Amino acid sequence: MASGDIAQITEALAKTHVGEVELSYKGRGLKLDNVESVKEIVQEIEQRQGLQSLRLEGNTLGVEAAQAIAKSLVAKRELEQCHWSDMFTGRLRSEIPPALKSLGNALMTSGARLTHLDLSDNAFGPDGVKGIESLLKSSACYTLRELRLNNCGMGIGGGMVLASALTECHKQSSAAGSPLRLKVFIAGRNRLENDGATALAKAFKLLGSLEEVHMPQNGINHPGITALATALKHNPNLQVVNLNDNTFTKKGSIAMAEAIRHLQCLKVINFGDCLVRSEGAIAIAGALRVGLPSLRELNLSFGEICEAAAVVVAKAVQGKADLEKLDLNGNCFGEEGCEALREMMEGMNMEDLLGSLSDDEGDPEDDDEEEEEEEEEEEEANEEENGHEEDAKENGVNGTKDVIEEKEEAHCGPELKSFLISPSAEKLISLGAKRIQVIEQQVDISDASKVSEVFLKISSVYKDEPEVKQAIFESTDALLRKAFSNSHSQSYSFITSLIVNLGLLKSEDKKIKKVTVLPGHLLALEHAAAQEFFPADQAGVLEVFVSRNCKVLESCCNARDALKTTLMKRTTA
């Protein structure tokens, strides 16, 4: 073929706009106030055949100008993508809803089927969401794949309106035989808070099609995080979740860990600056152990995570072949902790994947500060107890101790109840051959803290006497066997509770008090850890904390060393 013919064919293809047909006015800084100011834009829109994408971001659009552009869009049935972010700079908030309604009405009239709608950085508030509400409910959005509303100041009210619109769109599109299959949802920096997030979570659960969810900086606390976690679990194709700079705490972290465990397509997790804390990090590590085979990035930075918990996380990502980055910056490791973490990552041939630790917050609070806090907490507890005792006396009750303990053990039979209120070896033995059955039937294993409490009470009566040892080991083995047969996340919660009760980790829950560690606690744990029912990964978590807190267990050094040896055998087997 002659070169001239090739040139003619190339020119013809260019004129027919092969590929996406787009008009872009991106970033021109145009001040579009009236019909005259958009005359050229309107003409180009009208003349562009088969227009699929219109970019107006980076300009400022007034109501009259928006109405003029809207008229030109009525005939653009092929339009699929509206990139309209940062489009109202300097405009009064009252101008934005009518402008959006004009554009939305035009899209609905045209018969367009949108795939992308980007209205980020427009700061239109709740009223702005109402300006696109009708559009989002209409057939124009039945085919929507990406919805970007970052930094729009929607607030709780706007989040609720948006959730309702998405729900209605899914309902109507399903009735039409083509359910809404939204893949990308972006709504960071919108002050959604718990109520807005919870409303959107209901819509997400209904959709079930999400692949990316970005909702950073929204003031969401654990109730909203828990609602989102429940919803995300119903989106099996989720690949990216970014909830940076919200507040998980322990409850939210555990809920999110349970959710991501089911998301086998997840590639990017950004929980940075979310106050995940150590207990939450351990729960997330548990999810990493059993799922997320395609994980590429994990961000747990600035989460008040201690070095031992970070080690548990790092060990959990070992073997993730696709992992590219582990971000643990800004936590509480201290210089020695940072170095130990780097050495461990190097030992796993993963040193290149660990992000910078330059913003580490240093060791957790020093001992003096912790002692002061504990004294203050103890004083507050004493004051509260005294108040309860006075109330109890007024009601003819002798103090509160028996009342509280009876309430806690109300679900137990009289013999087990008696033992738990006042543990002794004699009472445990007196339960006889039925003690295993009693423990299995009457201890609520869904309550991790209760399982830990019962374990510690049973093991606290340890004596180096064959009959007592047998009774304790049989009882604690039965208890833990059942506990570990529960869900994976529940068993991780139990191990975390046990670590906290033994004083190896400071809990965010100030009501949880560490026990005075006795040799029997560690010996019963060592015996259980040697059994097949004790999961190797749980043994690994325990080994990390025991090894890094030897001084805490100094009073039981022989039992501690025996436990360490057994745990190391289990983790290296």
Side-chain angles (χ1 to χ4, degrees):
M1 184 179 291
S3 59
D5 294 336
I6 295 175
Q8 289 177 354
I9 292 173
T10 302
E11 184 179 356
L13 287 173
K15 288 181 178 179
T16 57
H17 304 288
V18 171
E20 182 180 273
V21 182
E22 179 180 272
L23 266 179
S24 177
Y25 303 93
K26 181 180 179 179
R28 296 191 186 182
L30 301 174
K31 193 170 188 299
L32 308 172
D33 296 323
N34 49 41
V35 175
E36 185 62 30
S37 64
V38 293
K39 185 177 180 180
E40 182 179 336
I41 294 175
V42 168
Q43 288 177 346
E44 290 185 336
I45 291 174
E46 290 175 344
Q47 293 171 4
R48 185 60 57 93
Q49 297 299 312
L51 181 64
Q52 294 172 294
S53 176
L54 179 60
R55 309 194 76 103
L56 296 174
E57 63 264 57
N59 300 289
T60 177
L61 196 63
V63 175
E64 189 177 329
Q67 291 171 343
I69 291 175
K71 289 181 181 179
S72 68
L73 293 177
V74 170
K76 299 302 172 182
R77 185 181 181 84
E78 295 86 357
L79 189 63
E80 297 177 351
Q81 300 187 25
C82 297
H83 301 278
W84 295 346
S85 63
D86 189 20
M87 199 170 67
F88 297 107
T89 301
R91 299 292 172 181
L92 296 174
R93 181 168 287 188
S94 60
E95 293 182 81
I96 301 175
L100 290 172
K101 285 181 180 179
S102 296
L103 294 167
N105 289 338
L107 295 172
M108 290 186 282
T109 302
S110 71
R113 293 293 184 267
L114 299 183
T115 58
H116 295 65
L117 178 60
D118 185 358
L119 289 167
S120 299
D121 302 315
N122 279 314
F124 46 53
D127 290 341
V129 184
K130 293 177 182 177
I132 58 171
E133 182 179 8
S134 296
L135 172 63
L136 290 174
K137 292 179 178 179
S138 75
S139 59
C141 288
Y142 288 0
T143 51
L144 199 62
R145 296 294 178 263
E146 295 189 12
L147 179 58
R148 300 171 182 262
L149 296 168
N150 201 57
N151 191 30
C152 289
M154 289 189 288
I156 295 172
M160 290 181 166
V161 172
L162 176 60
S164 176
L166 290 174
T167 300
E168 183 64 20
C169 183
H170 184 271
K171 177 182 177 181
Q172 297 296 336
S173 60
S174 298
S178 181
L180 173 64
R181 301 282 299 169
L182 189 67
K183 293 183 178 182
V184 178
F185 179 85
I186 300 177
R189 300 182 65 186
N190 271 293
R191 297 180 286 108
L192 295 170
E193 301 182 16
N194 290 331
D195 290 344
T198 300
L200 285 166
K202 292 178 182 178
F204 294 168
K205 183 177 179 180
L206 185 65
L207 290 172
S209 57
L210 292 168
E211 296 179 7
E212 294 187 27
V213 173
H214 302 259
M215 296 174 67
Q217 291 182 287
N218 269 297
I220 308 170
N221 299 324
H222 74 80
I225 295 298
T226 300
L228 287 171
T230 301
L232 295 181
K233 190 161 58 175
H234 292 270
N235 288 263
N237 295 320
L238 192 68
Q239 298 180 28
V240 179
V241 56
N242 176 8
L243 294 172
N244 189 285
D245 199 9
N246 289 292
T247 306
F248 282 33
T249 61
K250 176 183 174 181
K251 291 180 180 179
S253 299
I254 291 174
M256 194 57 70
E258 173 63 20
I260 63 176
R261 184 169 68 90
H262 298 276
L263 300 172
Q264 298 302 301
C265 296
L266 206 53
K267 296 178 180 178
V268 178
I269 298 174
N270 187 344
F271 296 158
D273 203 13
C274 282
L275 213 61
V276 166
R277 293 191 172 134
S278 299
E279 291 170 278
I282 294 170
I284 290 171
L288 294 169
R289 284 278 189 182
V290 296
L292 291 82
S294 303
L295 188 66
R296 293 181 184 174
E297 295 182 21
L298 175 61
N299 184 347
L300 295 178
S301 61
F302 299 94
E304 293 189 4
I305 299 169
C306 72
E307 183 258 344
V311 167
V312 172
V313 172
K315 287 186 175 182
V317 299
Q318 186 178 16
K320 303 291 183 188
D322 296 330
L323 191 69
E324 297 173 0
K325 185 176 181 180
L326 173 62
D327 190 348
L328 293 170
N329 197 19
N331 284 298
C332 307
F333 306 156
E335 290 185 13
E336 293 183 3
C338 288
E339 187 58 34
L341 184 60
R342 291 190 189 99
E343 289 178 0
M344 195 200 74
M345 292 292 286
E346 185 176 354
M348 296 189 300
N349 295 318
M350 299 174 70
E351 65 272 21
D352 294 338
L353 307 184
L354 182 63
S356 170
L357 299 176
S358 60
D359 294 317
D360 186 74
E361 296 288 341
D363 288 316
E365 299 169 309
D366 59 46
D367 293 338
D368 291 338
E369 291 176 337
E370 289 182 355
E371 287 175 3
E372 289 176 4
E373 284 188 3
E374 289 173 0
E375 288 173 0
E376 290 174 0
E377 291 167 16
E378 187 174 349
E379 289 174 2
E380 292 173 1
N382 289 337
E383 291 174 1
E384 184 177 352
E385 184 175 352
N386 290 336
H388 282 312
E389 286 178 350
E390 291 177 5
D391 293 338
K393 288 176 182 178
E394 291 177 2
N395 289 285
V397 182
N398 294 323
T400 59
K401 182 177 179 181
D402 291 340
V403 175
I404 294 172
E405 288 178 337
E406 285 178 12
K407 183 177 180 181
E408 289 178 347
E409 315 304 342
H411 62 283
C412 297
E415 293 140 324
L416 181 59
K417 176 180 171 182
S418 174
F419 170 79
L420 293 176
I421 290 175
S422 180
S424 70
E426 291 73 23
K427 288 182 180 179
L428 184 65
I429 291 172
S430 70
L431 289 172
K434 64 180 180 180
R435 61 175 164 263
I436 293 177
Q437 182 181 1
V438 168
I439 290 170
E440 289 180 338
Q441 290 180 349
Q442 298 182 12
V443 177
D444 180 10
I445 62 168
S446 67
D447 186 342
S449 61
K450 175 57 66 178
V451 175
S452 176
E453 178 189 337
V454 172
F455 172 84
L456 292 171
K457 285 187 175 182
I458 295 173
S459 57
S460 70
V461 303
Y462 179 89
K463 293 180 182 178
D464 193 14
E465 299 174 6
E467 186 179 14
V468 177
K469 287 169 63 175
Q470 182 179 357
I472 288 173
F473 290 161
E474 286 179 352
S475 300
T476 52
D477 282 1
L479 177 65
L480 298 195
R481 184 183 292 108
K482 188 176 181 184
F484 286 130
S485 69
N486 205 356
S487 72
H488 191 264
S489 58
Q490 279 290 333
S491 62
Y492 259 81
S493 293
F494 160 68
I495 285 293
T496 304
S497 295
L498 189 61
I499 290 169
V500 168
N501 289 143
L502 291 172
L504 305 179
L505 175 64
K506 187 175 180 180
S507 175
E508 70 177 46
D509 187 349
K510 297 186 183 299
K511 294 180 181 178
I512 298 177
K513 297 291 185 181
K514 63 181 181 181
V515 301
T516 299
V517 181
L518 302 171
H521 294 145
L522 306 185
L523 292 172
L525 195 52
E526 186 270 334
H527 183 272
Q531 311 306 313
E532 289 186 3
F533 67 77
F534 202 105
D537 57 335
Q538 315 283 17
V541 174
L542 197 54
E543 187 273 328
V544 168
F545 279 88
V546 170
S547 298
R548 281 162 171 74
N549 291 275
C550 287
K551 290 183 179 179
V552 176
L553 307 176
E554 190 64 39
S555 62
C556 311
C557 56
N558 292 333
R560 175 201 66 196
D561 293 342
L563 175 59
K564 281 179 61 179
T565 299
T566 297
L567 292 173
M568 291 181 70
K569 285 180 181 178
R570 288 302 314 276
T571 56
T572 57

